[in-house]
């Protein structure tokens, strides 16, 4: 597994204005877990007597869990505390992960390309540490210099803190760290941190905007594209 020291060393090579790192979301971006989260939430609430629909799904995609829980309680009026509901959803999600997690199309190729060219990759997720560690069994921890979990920063997405923390660990200007995200919450966090963004929407629609490129698949992401996004910003 790449260490932070070797990652920072890698930043010292090449064009001083060039791409320094790629910061990747997890759920719905690299791994196809958004369906798992939705199954956990929808099935639990069905058992509690509440039917969730696709409009609700668009609201909860991308987390973080605190926002999802607040929304679901307000939407249904369920008589459970946020803490209890969080435990129930997380446990159901973990149970669904038991059979392994499928990677999104193009994810493995992108990670291998970054490694082959010495471009550090960091995993930046709103999911909690114990969830990330389970998913890494399928995704491969060796692909990342480090990971940032939603319960390891003062404020998680949509606040910029997770991406600012990743750039800080790398000793890199956020404007030279391309973020890859699938949900509006994560896109908002990355843009607030000052990072160029590639959005590959999984459930909720994301519109193109200055500094934001919207694609239909990770299979469209290559090194030339990543470098061009940084070159246009610095």
């Amino acid at each position: 597994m790449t260490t932070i020291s070797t990652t920072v060393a890698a930043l010292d090579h090449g064009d001083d204005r060039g791409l320094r790192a790629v910061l990747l979301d997890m759920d719905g971006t690299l791994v196809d877990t958004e369906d798992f989260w939705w199954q956990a939430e929808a099935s639990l609430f069905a058992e509690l007597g509440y039917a969730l629909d696709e409009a609700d799904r668009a609201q909860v995609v991308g987390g973080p869990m605190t926002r999802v829980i607040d929304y679901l309680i307000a939407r249904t009026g369920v008589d459970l505390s946020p803490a209890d509901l969080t435990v129930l959803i997380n446990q159901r999600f973990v149970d669904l992960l038991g059979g392994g997690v499928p990677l999104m199309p193009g994810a493995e190729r992108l990670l291998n390309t970054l490694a082959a060219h010495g471009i550090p990759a960091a995993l930046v997720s709103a999911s909690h540490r114990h969830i990330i560690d389970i998913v890494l069994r399928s995704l491969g921890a060796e692909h990342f210099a480090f990971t940032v979990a939603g319960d390891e920063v003062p404020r998680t997405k949509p606040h910029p803190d997770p991406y600012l923390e990743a750039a800080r660990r790398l000793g890199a200007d956020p404007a030279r760290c391309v973020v890859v995200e699938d949900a509006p919450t994560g896109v908002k966090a990355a843009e607030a941190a000052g990072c160029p963004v590639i959005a590959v929407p999984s459930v909720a629609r994301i519109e193109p905007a200055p500094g934001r490129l919207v694609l239909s698949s990770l299979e469209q992401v290559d090194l030339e594209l990543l470098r061009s996004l940084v070159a246009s910003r610095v």
Side-chain angles (χ1 to χ4, degrees), residues 5 10 18 23 27 35 46 50-51 62-63 65-66 91 94-96 122 124 136 180-181 184 195 198 205 210 219:
S5 60
L23 313 179
D27 296 297
D35 280 348
Y50 304 96
M65 182 59 76
T66 51
Q91 185 55 59
V94 168
D95 291 344
L96 290 169
V124 182
L136 282 174
V180 185
E181 274 280 357
C195 301
I198 294 176
R205 184 176 177 82
E219 295 177 313

Side-chain angles (χ1 to χ4, degrees), residues 32-56:
D32 192 7
T33 52
E34 291 296 356
D35 280 348
F36 288 5
W37 280 114
W38 178 242
Q39 288 176 42
E41 292 153 358
S43 64
L44 175 62
F45 273 84
E47 290 175 13
L48 295 171
Y50 304 96
L52 302 179
D53 57 27
E54 287 300 313
D56 297 314

Side-chain angles (χ1 to χ4, degrees), residues 11-225:
L11 300 180
D12 295 332
H13 300 293
D15 184 354
D16 285 343
R17 298 173 300 166
L19 174 68
R20 283 296 177 260
V22 179
L23 313 179
L24 299 127
D25 174 54
M26 186 177 75
D27 296 297
T29 299
L30 289 177
V31 290
D32 192 7
T33 52
E34 291 296 356
D35 280 348
F36 288 5
W37 280 114
W38 178 242
Q39 288 176 42
E41 292 153 358
S43 64
L44 175 62
F45 273 84
E47 290 175 13
L48 295 171
Y50 304 96
L52 302 179
D53 57 27
E54 287 300 313
D56 297 314
R57 184 177 186 181
Q59 290 296 319
V60 300
V61 65
M65 182 59 76
T66 51
R67 183 182 65 83
V68 171
I69 294 299
D70 288 346
Y71 171 82
L72 291 173
I73 289 175
R75 159 76 170 80
T76 63
V78 65
D79 187 20
L80 286 170
S81 71
D84 288 343
L85 191 53
T86 297
V87 169
L88 291 171
I89 292 175
N90 270 303
Q91 185 55 59
R92 190 159 296 209
F93 178 71
V94 168
D95 291 344
L96 290 169
L97 293 180
V101 184
L103 272 60
M104 298 297 286
E108 184 173 11
R109 179 198 57 80
L110 174 58
L111 292 170
N112 288 337
T113 297
L114 295 176
H117 289 86
I119 304 297
L123 186 68
V124 182
S125 177
S127 290
H128 288 191
R129 168 55 54 195
H130 74 285
I131 296 292
I132 290 178
D133 288 344
I134 293 171
V135 174
L136 282 174
R137 297 172 194 166
S138 297
L139 188 55
E142 69 276 7
H143 291 301
F144 305 100
F146 57 85
T147 63
V148 179
D151 55 342
E152 296 173 343
V153 288
R155 303 179 302 174
T156 190
K157 306 172 189 180
H159 299 288
D161 303 40
Y163 287 115
L164 291 174
E165 172 63 13
R168 183 195 67 77
R169 291 194 199 182
L170 291 163
D173 181 349
R176 298 163 68 188
C177 301
V178 177
V179 168
V180 185
E181 274 280 357
D182 76 301
T185 302
V187 169
K188 183 176 180 179
E191 291 176 344
C195 301
V197 176
I198 294 176
V200 184
S202 61
V203 178
R205 184 176 177 82
I206 300 174
E207 298 292 343
R212 179 197 308 168
L213 178 64
V214 180
L215 302 176
S216 60
S217 171
L218 286 181
E219 295 177 313
Q220 298 171 269
V221 181
D222 58 24
L223 198 56
E224 181 180 358
L225 176 61

